[in-house]
């Protein structure tokens, strides 16, 4: 697809044409890496290209930051413990409008862009949906020209690599920074002390005011590393600022002098451990002190940085603060930002408590991403008191005032106060981070319509009753640049040829595809593109697993973190049922299916790991059965990550979104699949509900019990046995697992899975099984009707425009942040006679 963008907004003194790029690449190889083409490794070549791209980004970045410094706009600060960025080269090239030119330049140099792109390591500083959402938001913020910073942690080790050995998940450390990261710039000039421990002294000043002084704390420094985040077809380039921990002193002199060299070095190592590794758990509260240190480390450095920037631009005009900064908390993980800002304003800047509190609540917004009780963060008061003594005091004070307010609204309602308190007094006293975040924010949002509704009906019902205006919905979205334009070059070109390329910035333009949905030639091309998307995935799967797949089958895909509530098990049970059907009736009418599953399990989540093993054992069996292998295959793709998603999602025909209704807050994979022309097989959960609303019931397969139905069943008592007794197929499927058909020589291997679904079945796998089978049968039938399926696929894409993260960010900008775009014009275009030796 030709891209003419660069001509219109090029501001670079480095050219955007292939010739200039070639010069840059060779220059970088020679003068940055000190090599010639002869001795350059593949990584050297990749680096030279990456440097040539970032150079062109940096010019726009400087323009943007200068402009922001000049107009001092309100900025968005997106605080997140996770940013799942994936690879940058391909996306950077597309956003800058450099893709085709770079491809040409490399071709002329005898190099291949696709091959070089594959060399880049994923930046996997996140677990799943929440982290990837943050990355999509950065793309949209810059594309919309909104002044914004992402703030996070520069973990030395990102999310572990998953290896599958004998069918089991094995975790390998992700040392993503071993090789040079060309996309970041260290900013040792921006460093802040972060304090832990010690005690608080309360002084009374001469004028009678109280002052709290924090003594004897240990200090760690937070060093900034900046990554530019460019928008698409714009000069606007924002910043992702990640903090890395550095010991405040190389050696503790006292220990050193007293001869304890090891203790001295050890202290340094321990404090730098804070940013060593990303917590790989996205469901269970780990309650580990190091995690709390990480959260406070992020928050303290970030709030100091935000206040520093504010004071540079506005001095101590604190009344302006909330009109210059909107701080969004990505779940409760950075919620300590609230007491930290209170500490800075009250203790360091001498503001009165009430005034500081109003600034806080005007500034903060909080996004909830899960209702799962086990994922709601709490910290024991004991740990909090010893690690952050001043913050614990501040939280008590916040709670005291908050309880007074509750009392004003509901005099005498002690039970309600107990429920709403930020401090949980039952058992071991703890801080409820979600309550702190709600109290300290002016807006609280869920991430899909159903989720936001359930949020105010359940976990925050008391809060919503008291302040209904505080709660709102912001349905998630995904960036069309990475998830369609870049991930699916074939479909992108076809779409652009049919309706022009405005959709890349305004995804609702995809509606125009409805005008060509009946065009026979277009439909044929559509099928060809979808077919071709399968080929690179087939290569990848053969390379990683040895499993050979056929592109002439329906690709039925479930990729996401492994979780019982996401019900990969339901998919696996369906596959067994299909296998039995094929074995028992060789003449059965079937749609040849390739089932693809991928996802990581938290290392300590034994049930999820056992389900991975079961999937791999089913795969071994059915892929090797000559009776069935032409009609049904299963592959578990190891090490699911952003770059794998970019290959898997475009190849899918059917998208499995089959969580227990009410459990998946939104899902964003569901949107990526629909946008790439896959049809959703889904429950009425999360954003599936809205996908149904957009695409219409004829273009989606919906099944299963609804959230209210399940609520009633829970209340009235649910017995999975009744569903098992009713279904002979289900009995035979379970029996096959039970008799160790998939675990020969390892009797009882999968017993824990069977016990869980036969007895408690917390996620209603049994209750939904037969409904799922029926929906899967419908999907198979529909797929055999090639014309029908083509229409469904095109209409899914045409009607997915609302799921752009540009739409989501626009809603946040107007309804929560009150921020406006700043146009970065190319006026101060680089003077071509500038003294620098530009390539
Ligand atoms: C919890 C914990 C617990 C402590 C250790 C580290 C950790 C990390 C993450 C989490 C919460 C994860 C919540 C989450 O990822 N929610 C997902 O958010 C997506 C974006 O809004 C949404 O699409 C998914 O449905 C939702 O599961």
């Amino acid at each position: 697809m030709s891209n003419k963008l660069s001509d219109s907004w090029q501001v670079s003194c480095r050219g955007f044409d292939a010739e200039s790029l070639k010069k840059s690449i060779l220059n970088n190889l020679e003068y940055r890496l000190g090599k010639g083409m002869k001795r350059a490794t593949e990584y050297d070549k990749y680096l030279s290209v990456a440097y040539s791209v970032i150079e062109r980004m940096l010019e726009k970045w400087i323009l943007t930051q200068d402009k922001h410094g000049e107009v001092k706009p309100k900025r968005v600060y997106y605080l997140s413990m996770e940013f799942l960025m994936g690879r940058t080269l391909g996306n950077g090239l597309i956003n800058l409008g450099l893709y085709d030119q770079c491809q040409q330049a490399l071709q002329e140099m005898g190099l291949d862009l696709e091959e070089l792109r594959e060399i880049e390591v994923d930046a996997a500083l996140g677990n799943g949906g929440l982290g990837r959402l943050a990355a999509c938001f950065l793309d949209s913020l810059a594309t919309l020209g909104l002044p914004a910073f992402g703030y996070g942690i520069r973990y030395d080790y990102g999310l572990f690599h998953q290896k599958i050995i004998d069918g089991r998940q094995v975790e390998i450390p992700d040392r993503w920074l071993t090789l040079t990261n060309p996309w970041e710039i260290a900013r040792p000039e921006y460093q802040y002390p972060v304090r832990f421990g010690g005690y608080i002294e309360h002084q009374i000043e001469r004028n009678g005011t109280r002052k709290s002084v924090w003594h004897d704390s240990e200090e760690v420094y937070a060093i900034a590393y900046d990554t530019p985040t460019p928008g698409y077809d714009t000069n606007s380039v924002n910043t992702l600022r990640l903090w890395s921990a550095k010991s405040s002193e190389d050696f503790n002199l006292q220990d050193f002098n007293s001869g304890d060299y090891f203790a001295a070095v050890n202290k340094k190592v321990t404090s730098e451990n804070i940013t060593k590794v990303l917590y790989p758990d996205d469901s269970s509260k780990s309650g580990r002190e190091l995690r709390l240190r990480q959260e406070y480390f992020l928050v303290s450095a970030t709030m100091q940085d935000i206040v520093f920037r504010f004071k540079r631009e506005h001095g101590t005009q604190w009344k302006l603060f909330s009109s210059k900064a909107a701080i969004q908390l990505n779940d409760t993980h950075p919620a300590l930002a609230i007491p930290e800002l209170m500490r800075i304003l009250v203790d360091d800047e001498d503001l009165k408590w009430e005034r500081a509190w109003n600034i806080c609540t005007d500034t903060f917004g909080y996004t909830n991403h899960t209702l799962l009780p086990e994922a709601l963060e709490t910290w024991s008061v004991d740990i909090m008191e010893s690690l952050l003594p001043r913050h614990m005091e501040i939280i008590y004070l916040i709670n005291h005032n908050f309880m007074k307010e509750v009392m004003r609204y509901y005099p005498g309602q002690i039970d309600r106060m107990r429920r709403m308190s930020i401090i949980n007094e039952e058992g071991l006293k703890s801080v409820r981070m979600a309550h702190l975040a709600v109290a300290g924010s002016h807006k609280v949002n869920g991430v899909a319509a159903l989720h936001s509704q359930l949020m105010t009906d359940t976990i925050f019902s008391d809060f919503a009753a008291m302040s209904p205006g505080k709660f709102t919905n912001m349905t998630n979205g995904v960036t069309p640049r990475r998830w369609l334009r870049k991930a699916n070059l074939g479909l992108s070109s076809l779409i652009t040829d049919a309706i022009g390329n405005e959709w890349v910035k305004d995804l609702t333009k995809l509606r125009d595809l409805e005008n060509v949905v009946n065009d026979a030639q277009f439909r044929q091309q559509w099928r060809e593109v979808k077919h071709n998307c399968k080929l690179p995935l087939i290569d990848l799967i053969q390379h990683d697993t040895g499993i050979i797949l056929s592109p002439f089958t329906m690709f039925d895909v479930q990729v996401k973190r492994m979780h019982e509530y996401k019900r990969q098990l339901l998919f696996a049970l369906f596959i067994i049922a299909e296998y039995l059907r094929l074995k028992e009736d060789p003449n059965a009418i079937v749609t040849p299916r390739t089932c693809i599953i991928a996802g990581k399990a938290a290392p300590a989540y034994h049930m999820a790991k056992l389900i991975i093993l079961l999937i791999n054992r089913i795969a071994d069996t059915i892929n090797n059965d000559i009776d069935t292998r032409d009609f049904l295959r299963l592959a578990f793709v190891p090490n699911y990550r952003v770059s794998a998603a970019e290959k898997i999602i475009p190849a899918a025909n059917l998208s499995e979104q089959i969580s227990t209704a009410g459990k998946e807050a939104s899902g964003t994979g569901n949107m990526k699949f629909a946008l790439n022309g896959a049809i959703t097989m889904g429950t009425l959960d999360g954003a599936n509900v809205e996908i149904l609303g957009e695409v219409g019931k004829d273009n989606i397969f919906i099944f299963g019990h609804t959230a209210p139905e399940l609520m009633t069943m829970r209340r009235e008592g649910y017995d999975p046995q009744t569903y098992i007794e009713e279904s002979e197929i289900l009995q035979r499927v379970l029996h096959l697992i039970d008799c160790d058909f998939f675990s020969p020589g390892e009797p009882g291997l999968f017993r824990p899975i069977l016990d869980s679904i036969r007895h408690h079945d917390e996620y209603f796998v049994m209750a939904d099984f037969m409904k799922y089978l029926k929906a899967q049968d419908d999907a198979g039938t529909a797929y055999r009707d090639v014309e029908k399926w083509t229409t469904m696929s095109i209409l899914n894409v045409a009607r997915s425009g609302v799921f752009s993260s540009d739409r989501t960010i626009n809603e946040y900008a107007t309804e929560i942040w009150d921020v406006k775009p700043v146009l970065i014009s190319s006026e101060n275009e680089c003077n071509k006679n500038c003294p620098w030796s530009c390539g």
Side-chain angles (χ1 to χ4, degrees):
M1 177 164 43
S2 93
N3 196 336
K4 291 261 176 265
L5 293 169
S6 51
D7 304 342
S8 56
W9 50 262
Q10 178 200 148
V11 293
S12 178
C13 68
R14 280 162 165 72
F16 275 53
D17 55 294
E19 209 47 46
S20 308
L21 269 170
K22 256 199 298 197
K23 257 194 230 161
S24 289
I25 294 167
L26 290 171
N27 264 334
N28 278 312
L29 191 60
E30 193 168 339
Y31 299 115
R32 278 226 211 194
L33 302 173
K35 288 202 181 165
M37 263 298 182
K38 267 196 201 144
R39 284 200 319 117
T41 64
E42 292 305 293
Y43 199 77
D44 291 330
K45 293 173 196 165
Y46 153 73
L47 274 182
S48 308
V49 177
Y51 285 135
S52 308
V53 175
I54 198 179
E55 280 168 0
R56 284 154 178 81
M57 246 181 237
L58 294 182
E59 292 176 340
K60 291 166 187 283
W61 197 20
I62 294 166
L63 265 187
T64 308
Q65 301 314 312
D66 283 353
K67 183 76 182 178
H68 291 174
E70 191 187 307
V71 305
K72 305 182 175 62
K74 183 169 187 178
R75 295 182 179 89
V76 177
Y77 296 112
Y78 199 80
L79 272 57
S80 178
M81 287 288 282
E82 308 190 5
F83 286 91
L84 198 41
M85 302 295 283
R87 291 175 178 157
T88 297
L89 178 55
N91 202 245
L93 285 170
I94 284 187
N95 279 14
L96 294 178
L98 271 174
Y99 199 93
D100 292 342
Q101 298 88 311
C102 187
Q103 199 162 38
Q104 187 193 333
L106 290 174
Q107 205 171 17
E108 289 170 16
M109 297 167 77
L111 299 171
D112 182 74
L113 176 57
E114 261 64 289
E115 276 172 27
L116 289 185
R117 284 206 290 113
E118 286 297 314
I119 291 170
E120 182 171 354
V121 292
D122 279 46
L125 307 184
N127 274 288
L130 166 146
R132 183 53 230 177
L133 185 75
C136 284
F137 280 3
L138 292 181
D139 187 86
S140 288
L141 282 161
T143 299
L144 296 171
L146 296 168
F149 276 76
Y151 277 107
I153 291 183
R154 182 177 179 270
Y155 303 101
D156 295 337
Y157 294 85
L159 187 62
F160 64 86
H161 286 245
Q162 178 195 56
K163 272 197 165 179
I164 300 296
I165 298 178
D166 287 339
R168 291 184 166 83
Q169 167 174 303
V170 175
E171 299 93 23
I172 311 288
D174 166 49
R175 301 184 48 181
W176 73 295
L177 292 169
T178 314
L179 299 168
T180 316
N181 171 9
W183 307 108
E184 67 177 9
I185 294 184
R187 303 278 191 213
E189 69 274 28
Y190 297 120
Q191 52 176 292
Y192 298 98
V194 176
R195 302 195 282 169
F196 295 98
Y199 67 95
I200 309 301
E201 186 198 354
H202 298 282
Q203 301 169 342
I204 309 281
E205 308 247 284
R206 279 221 190 95
N207 61 6
T209 54
R210 290 160 60 96
K211 187 111 192 121
S212 302
V213 187
W214 190 354
H215 291 293
D216 261 11
S217 54
E218 32 167 314
E219 256 181 18
V220 185
Y221 277 92
I223 314 280
Y225 285 78
D226 286 353
T227 300
T229 61
Y232 173 84
D233 186 24
T234 167
N235 290 320
S236 183
V237 179
N238 286 326
T239 305
L240 170 59
R241 177 160 288 178
L242 301 179
W243 301 107
S244 180
K246 192 170 165 356
S247 156
S248 57
E249 48 206 329
D250 268 349
F251 294 96
N252 182 312
L253 274 181
Q254 217 177 331
D255 289 336
F256 194 52
N257 291 335
S258 64
D260 198 345
Y261 176 84
F262 183 78
V265 178
N266 201 38
K267 267 191 186 160
K268 171 177 156 66
V269 171
T270 310
S271 58
E272 291 181 359
N273 269 346
I274 291 179
T275 54
K276 215 23 102 198
V277 56
L278 166 78
Y279 271 80
D281 215 310
D282 65 348
S283 60
S284 60
K285 49 180 174 222
S286 59
R288 299 268 286 279
E289 183 183 312
L290 183 60
R291 168 79 183 183
L292 184 60
R293 280 181 188 261
Q294 288 186 334
E295 294 184 354
Y296 179 64
F297 178 80
L298 161 64
V299 149
S300 174
T302 301
M303 294 316 299
Q304 292 182 66
D305 202 35
I306 293 173
V307 168
F308 170 80
R309 187 172 303 109
F310 175 80
K311 286 172 85 172
R312 192 175 59 196
E313 295 186 351
H314 310 285
T316 53
Q317 301 180 70
W318 299 109
K319 65 174 185 300
L320 293 181
F321 193 84
S322 64
S323 61
K324 292 296 171 185
I327 305 179
Q328 193 64 29
L329 305 173
N330 199 21
D331 217 297
T332 57
H333 317 151
L336 285 172
I338 295 165
E340 176 68 355
L341 183 57
M342 287 301 286
R343 188 193 64 75
I344 293 173
L345 295 178
V346 173
D347 294 357
D348 298 349
E349 303 291 342
D350 292 325
L351 265 68
K352 287 255 176 339
W353 179 276
E354 287 70 28
R355 187 152 178 237
W357 183 246
N358 288 334
I359 291 174
C360 272
T361 51
D362 288 347
T363 303
F364 285 106
Y366 154 53
T367 306
N368 172 281
H369 293 271
T370 180
L371 303 176
L372 297 184
E374 64 270 29
L376 294 177
E377 257 192 318
T378 57
W379 290 104
S380 90
V381 166
D382 282 353
I383 292 189
M384 196 75 101
E385 240 155 20
S386 76
L387 210 59
L388 301 165
R390 180 58 183 147
H391 295 78
M392 196 57 241
E393 286 185 355
I394 291 173
I395 291 170
Y396 272 125
L397 263 169
I398 292 173
N399 195 41
H400 177 77
N401 291 332
F402 185 57
M403 287 296 104
K404 277 204 301 201
E405 206 185 324
V406 175
M407 209 147 44
R408 259 203 314 279
Y409 271 85
Y410 305 104
Q413 298 198 18
I414 303 297
D415 208 45
R416 188 186 291 264
M417 284 174 60
R418 191 183 46 72
R419 290 197 308 263
M420 293 178 78
S421 174
I422 296 169
I423 309 295
N424 184 356
E425 309 270 355
E426 283 154 44
L428 192 71
K429 266 214 255 181
S430 61
V431 182
R432 296 163 167 153
M433 300 303 277
H435 293 201
L436 175 63
V438 172
S441 302
H442 67 290
K443 285 279 177 192
V444 176
N445 73 281
V447 291
L450 175 69
H451 166 66
S452 298
Q453 184 62 50
L454 292 171
M455 185 180 82
T456 49
D457 286 351
T458 62
I459 58 170
F460 297 144
S461 60
D462 290 322
F463 298 85
M466 190 168 108
S467 331
K470 200 183 247 199
F471 294 85
T472 184
N473 172 245
M474 293 282 137
T475 297
N476 282 166
V478 302
T479 170
R481 271 71 65 182
R482 181 175 293 264
W483 295 110
L484 182 53
R485 178 65 184 80
K486 137 106 215 356
N488 201 337
L489 294 174
L491 203 61
S492 289
S493 308
L494 179 60
I495 292 170
T496 295
D497 289 346
I499 63 168
N501 74 356
E502 276 174 72
W503 61 269
V504 185
K505 280 185 100 170
D506 174 3
L507 203 63
T508 60
K509 286 279 187 319
L510 289 176
R511 278 270 167 193
D512 293 349
L513 288 173
E514 299 210 21
N515 300 332
V516 288
V517 68
N518 293 320
D519 177 324
Q521 192 196 344
F522 178 76
R523 294 167 65 86
Q524 182 55 32
Q525 287 171 326
W526 189 273
R527 287 191 286 266
E528 282 166 17
V529 167
K530 283 298 295 181
H531 178 92
N532 291 337
C533 285
K534 292 177 179 171
L535 307 177
L537 179 61
I538 288 172
D539 288 346
L540 174 102
I541 291 176
Q542 184 171 5
H543 178 267
D544 288 0
T545 69
I547 299 171
I548 295 169
L549 301 176
S550 159
F552 298 98
T553 59
M554 173 167 86
F555 276 28
D556 183 356
V557 182
Q558 187 176 28
V559 288
K560 49 184 80 244
R561 280 298 285 256
M562 299 296 301
H563 258 289
E564 285 163 282
Y565 85 79
K566 293 177 189 279
R567 300 200 295 192
Q568 282 92 357
L569 183 58
L570 182 58
F571 191 25
L573 297 183
F574 155 71
I575 294 166
I576 297 174
E578 188 73 353
Y579 173 69
L580 281 176
R581 185 158 77 103
L582 288 167
K583 285 297 269 188
E584 284 159 18
D585 180 3
N587 300 319
I589 302 172
V590 289
T591 304
R593 244 184 236 251
T594 298
C595 299
I596 295 170
I597 304 179
K600 293 176 183 174
Y605 193 167
H606 301 293
M607 186 60 83
K609 290 175 118 173
L610 193 58
I611 292 170
I612 292 179
L613 181 60
L614 174 63
I615 290 165
N616 280 306
R617 291 291 160 85
I618 297 171
D620 290 344
T621 307
I622 69 176
N623 295 341
N624 292 312
D625 190 325
I626 49 166
D627 296 342
T628 61
R629 44 182 298 164
D630 287 345
F631 303 102
L632 182 64
R633 282 185 204 203
L634 169 59
F636 185 90
V637 187
N639 202 29
Y640 185 57
R641 59 201 185 281
V642 173
S643 60
E646 289 168 26
K647 299 188 180 82
I648 295 171
I649 292 169
N653 300 116
L654 195 60
S655 150
E656 298 287 337
Q657 308 299 337
I658 57 179
S659 51
T660 311
K663 295 286 181 189
E664 187 70 90
S666 162
T668 44
N670 47 4
M671 302 170 185
K672 294 164 197 168
F673 279 102
L675 188 58
N676 280 275
I679 318 302
T680 303
M681 164 66 62
T683 47
L684 284 174
D685 199 16
N688 297 352
V689 178
E690 286 147 274
I691 294 178
L692 164 66
E694 292 299 313
V695 305
K697 65 177 178 25
D698 295 340
N699 301 302
I700 190 166
F701 300 96
I702 294 289
F703 73 96
H705 290 84
T706 63
E709 283 168 359
L710 295 181
M711 241 150 6
T712 310
M713 287 163 73
R714 270 187 209 103
R715 206 180 38 242
E716 294 177 354
Y718 160 58
D719 182 8
Q721 214 56 50
T722 51
Y723 290 89
I724 299 172
E725 278 159 19
E726 268 172 18
S727 162
E728 203 198 314
I729 306 177
L730 184 49
Q731 288 164 27
R732 297 217 316 273
V733 168
L734 297 184
H735 175 71
L736 212 58
I737 303 175
D738 211 3
C739 72
D740 297 308
F741 185 72
F742 301 108
S743 48
E746 291 168 283
L749 182 60
F750 298 118
R751 183 58 51 79
I753 294 179
L754 290 172
D755 284 347
S756 123
I757 50 178
R758 277 181 179 149
H759 300 125
H760 0 275
D761 193 22
E762 200 183 332
Y763 300 101
F764 296 93
V765 176
M766 299 296 93
D768 278 349
F769 181 78
M770 285 314 289
K771 291 168 186 264
Y772 181 51
L773 227 58
K774 163 79 171 65
Q776 278 289 23
D777 198 49
D778 292 347
T781 309
Y783 191 77
R784 284 198 301 277
D785 184 342
V786 174
E787 293 302 336
K788 176 176 174 172
W789 194 272
T790 306
T791 304
M792 290 175 81
S793 174
I794 297 171
L795 289 181
N796 262 269
V797 177
R799 299 175 182 178
S800 286
V802 71
F803 300 111
S804 166
S805 46
D806 297 348
R807 186 268 312 147
T808 314
I809 287 296
N810 255 320
E811 289 177 8
Y812 276 94
T814 55
E815 288 164 42
I816 297 182
W817 301 330
D818 192 27
V819 289
K820 311 233 150 31
V822 173
L823 182 75
I824 312 299
S825 68
S826 43
E827 237 136 67
N828 21 356
E829 189 166 338
C830 179
N831 174 359
K832 297 286 182 222
N833 301 317
C834 71
W836 310 103
S837 52
C838 305

